[in-house]
Amino acid sequence: AKNTSNLRVSFDLKDNDSSGKHKFFQRVRESLRQRGYQMVKPGEKSDIHFYINYRNKNSKVNIKRLDGVYFDGTAFTRNRNSHILSSMRAADGIIYQSEYCKNMGCQVLGFTSSKPSRVIFNGCDPTEFNVEPKILDRPYFLALCKWRRHKRLQESVEGFIRSEIKDHYLVVAGPPDYTVDHPQIKYIGDLNRADLSRYIKGCIGTVHLAWIDWCPNSVVESIMAGKQVIHTNSGGTQEIVNGRGYQVKDKIWIGEKASPKSPPEISLDDIADAYIKSIKSPIVNFNKDDLNIDASAKMYIDFGISILERKK
C-alpha cells in the first residue's frame, strides 16, 4: 500500500479487554498505526475490518480471525461453535493462527470454503523485553499462563520435581490450579505486563505443556525474548516453537470430542528430561523474525489489501 494514510482500518476490539486474543489485535493495530494507516472505531466506515466476533457492516472488506473452537461436545459449546461458524461464513477472508488452527478448527466446525485465507502466526514487539531482567538467587524456568487443567501446570511442576535438579527454580506466574509446597517451586501469582516482561527476560526458559492450544501468546512472547520453550508436540505450539526449545510427546487431538478438564497423560520422565536438556544444552541465539509483530501486521494488511483489490 503506497498511500497508507488513505486506507481506513478497523478492529473488533474493546480497549479494556485484556484477554490474549484482544491483546494481539491491539499489537497489530498499534503496528499499523505506526506505519501510517488510519485507525477508525469498530462500527465506523472503513476499507478493511479485522474481527474475531463481530463484522463491521460499514466496511468494504471484513476479515475473520479464527481464534480457536470449542471441543468438549456439550450443547453449550456446540452453540458457541455455531456462532463461530456463522461469523466465518460472513467473512470476505479468513486468517488462521496456525496450520493446526486451520485444519482442526475447520474439521470441528464442518467448515469448507474456497474463501481466501491465510495462516499468520501471532506476533510480539521485541522492545517489550528491553527491560531489566528479574534475577533470583538461582537460575529459573518460568511457567506463565491463565491456568486451567489442559494447560498442565500439574505436569509442569511434577516433571520439574522428577528431574531432581537442585540448583534451579520453577517460577509459576498466573493464578495456579495446582499448588505444592516445595522449596524450588515459587508461586508469584498474577503479574502486570511490566513485571511479566522482567521475569521472561530473566528466566533461562519457559514451560508450556498445554494440550490443544492454537497459537499461545505466552509462547510467542518467550521466543521473541530469546527464551527456549519446553512444550508438547500437540496443538499449534510446535509450529510456533519450531525447534526453539525441547519437545515432549503428547497425544495428538484430531477433532474428536474431548474434555479440556481431563487432558491425556504425558510422561513425567520426558518432561524431566526436557528440563535437564534445557540446562545442559540450552537452545539460544535463534532467529525470531517470523514472530515480530511488524511481520504479522504486514501480513494482515497485505492480505486485507489483496481482498480489497479483488472486490473493486
Side-chain angles (χ1 to χ4, degrees), residues 175-283:
D177 66 344
Y178 176 79
T179 56
V180 62
D181 190 11
H182 188 283
Q184 286 167 258
I185 313 291
K186 295 200 169 294
Y187 293 92
I188 55 173
D190 262 337
L191 297 176
N192 63 32
R193 229 14 266 166
D195 285 336
L196 187 57
S197 295
R198 292 187 64 213
Y199 271 98
I200 294 173
K201 180 77 178 281
C203 73
I204 65 159
T206 66
V207 188
H208 191 87
L209 297 177
W211 184 54
I212 312 181
D213 221 332
W214 312 100
C215 181
N217 278 312
S218 59
V219 171
V220 171
E221 289 162 11
S222 302
I223 291 168
M224 281 310 291
K227 304 301 172 176
Q228 60 188 344
V229 183
I230 294 174
H231 63 291
T232 66
N233 65 335
S234 64
T237 308
Q238 64 171 340
E239 287 174 54
I240 313 304
V241 178
N242 193 20
R244 294 173 282 204
Y246 286 101
Q247 195 173 96
V248 175
K249 191 165 183 267
D250 199 357
K251 179 177 186 279
I252 305 300
W253 177 74
I254 47 174
E256 69 276 26
K257 179 180 162 185
S259 171
K261 290 180 177 154
S262 51
E265 282 187 24
I266 51 177
S267 162
L268 293 183
D269 288 336
D270 286 356
I271 300 166
D273 193 41
Y275 279 113
I276 292 163
K277 283 179 178 162
S278 301
I279 294 169
K280 287 189 172 165
S281 307
I283 298 172

Side-chain angles (χ1 to χ4, degrees), residues 18-287:
S18 62
S19 65
K21 55 192 175 188
H22 290 281
K23 179 166 73 181
F24 172 66
F25 258 10
Q26 286 161 356
R27 286 171 170 162
V28 175
R29 184 178 64 179
E30 191 48 41
S31 176
L32 293 177
R33 182 184 278 132
Q34 285 175 7
R35 278 198 206 165
Y37 291 96
Q38 212 180 128
M39 295 299 129
V40 299
K41 289 189 176 136
E44 288 178 5
K45 198 170 172 188
S46 65
D47 296 294
I48 302 167
H49 178 68
F50 295 103
Y51 72 99
I52 295 166
N53 299 314
Y54 304 110
R55 59 198 303 279
N56 176 2
K57 61 181 189 299
N58 293 316
S59 184
K60 292 175 189 166
V61 166
N62 276 274
I63 294 174
K64 155 88 178 173
R65 186 185 85 156
L66 181 63
D67 194 63
V69 298
Y70 297 92
F71 48 84
D72 69 3
T74 62
F76 177 64
T77 63
R78 280 200 304 274
N79 184 40
R80 293 174 90 170
N81 279 344
S82 74
H83 287 300
I84 294 171
L85 182 57
S86 57
S87 74
M88 289 173 81
R89 287 183 173 144
D92 298 303
I94 297 170
I95 289 172
Y96 300 100
Q97 301 178 79
S98 57
E99 284 291 343
Y100 180 84
C101 179
K102 179 177 184 176
N103 297 337
M104 291 303 105
C106 291
Q107 187 170 318
V108 170
L109 296 170
F111 179 74
T112 51
S113 164
S114 54
K115 270 178 199 188
S117 70
R118 198 159 292 178
V119 171
I120 305 174
F121 291 161
N122 290 355
C124 173
D125 182 348
T127 64
E128 283 190 29
F129 304 103
N130 294 349
V131 292
E132 207 56 45
K134 180 71 179 175
I135 304 296
L136 303 181
D137 59 358
R138 58 180 77 174
Y140 62 93
F141 291 95
L142 179 66
L144 61 157
C145 233
K146 183 181 170 194
W147 295 106
R148 277 98 74 215
R149 183 66 195 97
H150 71 287
K151 301 285 186 178
R152 291 198 177 117
L153 177 57
Q154 183 174 343
E155 290 86 339
S156 305
V157 169
E158 289 178 356
F160 180 81
I161 294 169
R162 174 78 59 98
S163 73
E164 298 185 336
I165 296 162
K166 294 292 176 228
D167 49 356
H168 289 65
Y169 292 126
L170 173 63
V171 173
V172 177
D177 66 344
Y178 176 79
T179 56
V180 62
D181 190 11
H182 188 283
Q184 286 167 258
I185 313 291
K186 295 200 169 294
Y187 293 92
I188 55 173
D190 262 337
L191 297 176
N192 63 32
R193 229 14 266 166
D195 285 336
L196 187 57
S197 295
R198 292 187 64 213
Y199 271 98
I200 294 173
K201 180 77 178 281
C203 73
I204 65 159
T206 66
V207 188
H208 191 87
L209 297 177
W211 184 54
I212 312 181
D213 221 332
W214 312 100
C215 181
N217 278 312
S218 59
V219 171
V220 171
E221 289 162 11
S222 302
I223 291 168
M224 281 310 291
K227 304 301 172 176
Q228 60 188 344
V229 183
I230 294 174
H231 63 291
T232 66
N233 65 335
S234 64
T237 308
Q238 64 171 340
E239 287 174 54
I240 313 304
V241 178
N242 193 20
R244 294 173 282 204
Y246 286 101
Q247 195 173 96
V248 175
K249 191 165 183 267
D250 199 357
K251 179 177 186 279
I252 305 300
W253 177 74
I254 47 174
E256 69 276 26
K257 179 180 162 185
S259 171
K261 290 180 177 154
S262 51
E265 282 187 24
I266 51 177
S267 162
L268 293 183
D269 288 336
D270 286 356
I271 300 166
D273 193 41
Y275 279 113
I276 292 163
K277 283 179 178 162
S278 301
I279 294 169
K280 287 189 172 165
S281 307
I283 298 172
V284 292
N285 300 327
F286 41 74
N287 177 50

